[in-house]
Amino acid sequence: MILTALNDYYQRLAAQQQVPQPGFSAENISFALVFSAAGEPLQIDDLRIQDDKGKFRPRPLYVPVDKRRTSGIHAYVGWDKTAYALGVTAGDGKRLADEHEAFKQRQRNLFADSDDPELRAFLALLEAWQPPRFHTLPGYHEELLDKNLVFRLDGQQHFVHEHPPMRTLWNETFTVQDSDSGPCLVTGEHAPLGLDHPAIRNVNGAQSSGASLISFNAGAYESYGHKGQANASISKQAIFGYSTALNHLLRRDNDNHQRLTIGDATVVFWAQAADTTQAEAAEMFFKALNEPPTDAQEAARLGSALAQVANGTALAETDLGLAGDTQFFVLGLAPNAARLSVRFWCVNTLEQLTRHFARHRQDLALDPLPWKGALPPIWRLLYAVAPSRDGRAKAEDIPSHLAGEIARAIFTGQRYPQSLLSNLVMRFRNDGDISGIRIALCKAVLTRNARLAAGQQSPIEEMPVSLDPHSTHPGYLLGRLFAELENAQARAIPNTNATIADRYYGAASATPASVFPLLLRNVKNHLAKLRKGNEKDQAIAGAISRSIREIVDGLDERLPKSLKIEDQGRFAIGYYHQTQARFNKKKPSENTETPEDQGDAQ
């Protein structure tokens, strides 16, 4: 399915001339060697492009490629790195002479019988070439060593590999190469089968030279007497199609809007629509869902559209101007030594994909929102799962498996990984960072689990977005109670070095019966101290005392000995809601409550 979708995408790209034809590949080329009609080397042209940061980067050119070069010696036609093409290198050069001879022989085999003047001059250049001359040519500098180069006849605008007679000879050679024929698993057609799958490049964390999406490097992966890539019955055309399309999607160009990074996964996506404009609009919309706009007006527009979709409005009826029946593909890849692993693969209509994001947004909802804009970026959710060290998290601490599972849950509307809740609860207990983004994730897991367990298609208010004084759930009530006990301590001892949250949060959320009796005894001392203070302190003591009494009245007489992981999540949410409700109370001048009722306002 993945290869078929990529091959189909290649056909659309090829029709728009955005990707090379079979037998060619986009390679990074740094310079061109200019030669005369007599085969005399004249100068070096630097082809590199200067980026926004002032750095020079190779220029991508479509050059002839027939197979992937691994550990053996294999020369390309009309281009190569300096060791092959010119016999010069910055390394030890143990195979230098053999590599250079292989390059010359490859060109002789293809062009020896041609009477084209440009190709004859190219062969003359190679036959008379002396490697020491490279250092004497105008334009030479050491940065060119071991870089890829092409060739150009003086006075011509095109390179040798772009010369029509050369391309004709190459295409004839490429298409008549010996190969067994058979049914292609990708296209279903009977065609020449390929044995070499090109390297997939630019996947974060993978080898810089590229990694394999399909490979058979051990006998355990082979069957029915086939060896190596013969175990995958895929035609040459399909191999070229899927690999070219995937490398196109993975390119690191500034204008590539079809690539994302989610944890250690490199994510690519593309759309299939009635026309190119609709497809590009769908892709930009998906990019915005994963990397929400910072502009307030655009963020409000996106949030409004998601709210409409969540309430049942068709995507086409929003002001985004998108076609809901657009087919959408999302592929997540992660490094695995010299190979790649597929983290997730999602195929859906843009309508359904948007509904999944809208539900994800509702599942996360808190009041007030702990982020700006329509949605929190996925990367921010992932950082919330990592350990917080002095209030900061590091990318390398993000659990790799969670990145793919969270993304899959968002894209498909399935359950969030249960390990996400366990991880969050562990983080609450270990680093004490009970932040809004973590609570939103905790709430999302519990809300979605309840909705899917009930078989409902629309979100239910299983977990409130703000303080719910009517909730009778023990975990939620205990979290609220713990927040009030902490508040009493903070009011009575303003500058304490260690709060009860620092000392007892883990035990209180996991084994309430062993901790809360002690805390409830201690709070009497805190409240007594406040009642001996001024009028404001007395009002605060009264407000906290009433709040604690109301919460305790909702609990059973016997506190639970332990809370399961879901209830520990509810404990954290109750704690957060109670704390936020205290912080977000209106100022006294903005309400009609008595001073005693306002006593715990911040």
Side-chain angles (χ1 to χ4, degrees):
M1 181 62 182
I2 297 175
L3 302 186
T4 301
L6 285 168
N7 186 57
D8 291 343
Y9 185 54
Y10 167 78
Q11 304 304 327
R12 298 197 296 276
L13 292 173
Q16 301 165 13
Q17 298 183 341
Q18 296 187 43
V19 290
Q21 296 297 318
F24 289 81
S25 174
E27 301 292 338
N28 292 324
I29 307 298
S30 296
F31 67 99
L33 179 61
V34 183
F35 60 97
S36 69
E40 182 71 15
L42 301 178
Q43 65 183 46
I44 296 170
D45 287 347
D46 196 334
L47 303 181
R48 295 175 299 171
I49 305 170
Q50 191 172 15
D51 60 18
D52 298 337
K53 298 180 180 179
K55 294 183 179 181
F56 287 92
R57 303 189 182 281
R59 175 179 303 184
L61 294 177
Y62 294 154
V63 292
V65 173
D66 54 345
K67 62 178 291 187
R68 177 183 176 186
R69 183 159 60 204
T70 54
S71 58
I73 294 178
H74 180 76
Y76 294 120
V77 173
W79 73 281
D80 218 314
K81 63 180 183 179
T82 58
Y84 276 85
L86 302 178
V88 291
T89 181
D92 53 25
K94 293 180 179 180
R95 304 192 312 179
L96 188 61
D98 293 335
E99 291 173 345
H100 184 45
E101 182 58 33
F103 180 80
K104 293 195 293 184
Q105 189 59 45
R106 187 79 194 272
Q107 319 311 308
R108 293 189 196 107
N109 293 341
L110 190 60
F111 306 134
D113 297 331
S114 174
D115 56 1
D116 179 77
E118 184 169 327
L119 296 180
R120 300 302 302 175
F122 177 49
L123 287 178
L125 167 71
L126 296 179
E127 297 299 339
W129 173 256
Q130 296 296 322
R133 296 201 60 182
F134 183 56
H135 304 274
T136 65
L137 291 175
Y140 166 80
H141 51 86
E142 290 186 356
E143 292 182 11
L144 301 179
L145 291 173
D146 297 316
K147 300 296 190 297
N148 291 331
L149 76 148
V150 292
F151 298 86
R152 181 174 66 83
L153 179 63
D154 189 32
Q156 298 293 338
Q157 298 298 316
H158 61 260
F159 300 113
V160 169
H161 71 273
E162 299 171 333
H163 188 41
M166 182 274 178
R167 293 177 70 96
T168 300
L169 289 171
W170 169 248
N171 287 332
E172 291 175 353
T173 303
F174 182 76
T175 54
V176 301
Q177 288 177 346
D178 294 336
S179 178
D180 294 333
S181 294
C184 175
L185 297 176
V186 174
T187 64
E189 300 174 349
H190 195 88
L193 301 179
L195 298 178
D196 184 72
H197 291 256
I200 305 303
R201 286 169 289 191
N202 295 323
V203 173
N204 296 338
Q207 295 180 353
S208 58
S209 58
S212 298
L213 185 61
I214 298 176
S215 66
F216 303 86
N217 67 333
Y221 310 124
E222 300 175 341
S223 60
Y224 297 102
H226 296 297
K227 295 296 182 182
Q229 308 294 4
N231 285 271
S233 180
I234 303 176
S235 68
K236 286 184 177 181
Q237 294 286 347
I239 290 174
F240 181 83
Y242 91 76
S243 60
T244 302
L246 187 51
N247 279 320
H248 175 79
L249 290 166
L250 287 166
R251 69 194 189 282
R252 297 185 185 274
D253 297 349
N254 293 331
D255 62 344
N256 183 9
H257 304 296
Q258 296 172 262
R259 172 194 172 107
L260 295 167
T261 298
I262 299 179
D264 70 338
T266 304
V267 182
V268 294
F269 52 90
W270 65 99
Q272 181 179 347
D275 55 57
T276 303
T277 302
Q278 286 188 13
E280 291 178 352
E283 290 160 0
M284 293 301 293
F285 173 63
F286 184 79
K287 181 86 168 180
L289 288 173
N290 288 276
E291 297 179 354
T294 55
D295 178 77
Q297 186 174 357
E298 287 299 316
R301 182 167 173 258
L302 178 61
S304 175
L306 288 174
Q308 288 179 281
V309 170
N311 291 328
T313 304
L315 181 61
E317 295 176 8
T318 67
D319 64 351
L320 296 177
L322 297 168
D325 59 351
T326 298
Q327 194 78 357
F328 212 88
F329 307 87
V330 186
L331 174 63
L333 299 172
N336 181 17
R339 286 171 290 281
L340 300 175
S341 60
V342 176
R343 272 288 161 81
F344 51 84
W345 167 242
C346 173
V347 181
N348 214 330
T349 63
L350 190 62
E351 178 85 33
Q352 287 299 318
L353 197 60
T354 306
R355 293 197 181 281
H356 293 325
F357 269 91
R359 287 174 185 152
H360 168 64
R361 180 172 181 259
Q362 285 190 324
D363 291 342
L364 287 171
L366 281 179
D367 184 22
L369 287 176
W371 59 81
K372 294 181 180 180
L375 274 169
I378 294 181
W379 63 263
R380 188 173 179 188
L381 299 180
L382 296 178
Y383 270 92
V385 182
S388 177
R389 299 171 182 172
D390 298 325
R392 302 185 66 179
K394 295 183 178 181
E396 56 266 27
D397 293 331
I398 298 173
S400 58
H401 67 285
L402 278 181
E405 292 176 3
I406 291 174
R408 187 189 299 110
I410 296 172
F411 299 156
T412 64
Q414 297 175 358
R415 293 179 187 270
Y416 296 100
Q418 190 64 20
S419 58
L420 173 59
L421 183 59
S422 304
N423 195 283
L424 288 167
V425 168
M426 181 176 64
R427 297 272 73 81
F428 293 147
R429 299 179 63 175
N430 289 352
D431 58 37
D433 182 11
I434 308 175
S435 62
I437 196 76
R438 282 182 171 179
I439 292 297
L441 269 173
C442 189
K443 170 184 171 291
V445 174
L446 295 172
T447 299
R448 183 164 294 192
N449 284 352
R451 183 180 69 244
L452 295 179
Q456 299 185 22
Q457 292 303 310
S458 58
I460 61 175
E461 290 296 331
E462 196 276 340
M463 288 304 304
V465 298
S466 59
L467 180 65
D468 180 9
H470 305 294
S471 175
T472 59
H473 197 285
Y476 188 79
L477 286 173
L478 287 169
R480 290 183 58 200
L481 177 59
F482 191 79
E484 282 303 293
L485 297 176
E486 182 187 33
N487 184 32
Q489 182 197 37
R491 297 290 190 171
I493 314 173
N495 298 315
T496 182
N497 292 328
T499 67
I500 63 170
D502 297 327
R503 297 180 60 185
Y504 296 110
Y505 179 88
S509 62
T511 54
S514 66
V515 175
F516 272 97
L518 170 66
L519 298 179
L520 288 170
R521 287 195 299 270
N522 288 342
V523 78
K524 294 179 180 180
N525 299 326
H526 298 148
L527 293 175
K529 181 178 180 181
L530 287 172
R531 290 190 181 102
K532 295 177 182 178
N534 57 32
E535 184 178 346
K536 181 179 179 181
D537 287 343
Q538 293 173 14
I540 291 174
I544 294 176
S545 180
R546 282 193 303 277
S547 180
I548 290 175
R549 186 166 57 250
E550 290 171 0
I551 296 171
V552 171
D553 286 346
L555 291 166
D556 293 336
E557 292 184 5
R558 182 172 297 179
L559 293 173
K561 291 184 178 180
S562 62
L563 293 179
K564 59 183 180 180
I565 198 71
E566 291 81 5
D567 292 340
Q568 291 182 48
R570 291 182 177 91
F571 182 100
I573 296 171
Y575 172 84
Y576 180 83
H577 280 171
Q578 188 71 27
T579 304
Q580 289 299 308
R582 185 168 67 248
F583 289 159
N584 296 324
K585 272 194 174 182
K586 295 180 180 179
K587 295 178 182 178
S589 60
E590 296 176 349
N591 60 51
T592 57
E593 296 178 5
T594 64
E596 184 174 335
D597 292 330
Q598 299 167 4
D600 60 340
Q602 292 287 327

